Amino acid sequence: MKFIIANWKAYVTTEKGAKALAAAVQKVKFRKGIAVVLCPPFPFFSLARAHKGRGVSWGAQDMFWKEGGAYTGEVTSEMLSGAGITYVIIGHSERRNYAQETDEMVNAKVRAALAAGLRPIVCVGEREREDPASIPRCVAEQTHKAFAGIEKNKMEEVIIAYEPIWAIGTGTADTSDDALSAALYIRKVIGEMYDAKTAAKIKVLYGGSVDSRNIAEFINQEGIDGVLVGRASIEKKEFAEIMRAI
Ligand code: PGA
């Protein structure tokens, strides 16, 4: 199974726009064995119910780690599940940057998502790659901290997105070879934390300036289980081409 995950970020700002985008995606015929997951902003979650059972799945771009209570502005796992959401992006670099999310918060969110039966898509990635020959240690550190204390039997639900920050929204994607090295490195870290079987089971995606021209390079790598697409996922024709590219 390969994943194409669309992170609409805050690019889509009107209900009309969100509806039109969902309807356009729904029309695209894509191969079996591919999971397409659309992650709209919270106010457009009703789309998940409206499109239920029609091929695509739905995800959130974030969630809170507490089940509920006096937490102004937060969106909980139950709110997501109740809206028909089954995936949730956690620890995206934009949240780490603009909302000061820490590795500890990421860990708490991963726990809460798994406890609620949601599939977390956990983002890790370095700000800069100083030495092109090696994937920075911070990727290992973020991975370690994100999954600290998570039980082994929960790990098969986990999706990790390797998203080098320098490649996000810049039009300069990583090379597929380096993305593969990073994916293997992440699997190695999971293997050290758990065991080889667990490392083989988790899904590792690549994200950062994926578009219809470069998607095949990433998705055809056996060690890369799919892509997380930002900017190109909100352009109807472009995303249709991405979905048909595999
Ligand atoms: P991008 O974003 O495709 O616009 O680079 C990817 C992401 O941030 O998930």
Side-chain angles (χ1 to χ4, degrees), residues 90-107:
I90 294 177
H92 190 283
S93 57
E94 286 151 13
R95 296 214 52 84
R96 293 182 194 255
N97 184 19
Y98 299 114
Q100 280 77 49
E101 264 188 30
T102 63
D103 288 323
E104 289 67 33
M105 288 155 82
V106 169
N107 179 253

Side-chain angles (χ1 to χ4, degrees), residues 100-172:
Q100 280 77 49
E101 264 188 30
T102 63
D103 288 323
E104 289 67 33
M105 288 155 82
V106 169
N107 179 253
K109 290 180 180 195
V110 173
R111 282 166 193 266
L114 288 168
L118 295 163
R119 285 195 81 170
I121 303 157
V122 181
C123 300
V124 297
E126 76 280 5
R127 193 160 293 285
E128 273 168 59
R129 191 178 301 154
E130 280 157 15
D131 174 7
S134 70
I135 306 300
R137 273 191 53 80
C138 72
V139 172
E141 207 174 297
Q142 287 171 343
T143 306
H144 264 286
K145 290 187 173 164
F147 300 107
I150 307 279
E151 290 159 36
K152 190 164 91 174
N153 64 358
K154 297 264 191 221
M155 288 303 287
E156 59 191 75
E157 295 301 318
V158 161
I159 300 171
I160 302 177
Y162 170 61
E163 294 215 310
I165 297 171
W166 52 266
I168 295 177
T170 59
T172 306

Side-chain angles (χ1 to χ4, degrees), residues 2-46:
K2 296 268 180 177
F3 289 85
I4 300 179
I5 301 186
N7 178 5
W8 291 0
K9 305 194 180 185
Y11 284 129
V12 181
T13 53
T14 64
E15 187 166 5
K16 195 167 160 225
K19 275 189 177 160
L21 189 50
V25 172
Q26 209 68 78
K27 286 202 195 110
V28 184
K29 300 247 179 311
F30 58 96
R31 238 183 359 99
K32 277 213 180 87
I34 294 171
V36 175
V37 182
L38 305 181
C39 304
F42 293 136
F44 309 134
F45 274 2
S46 60

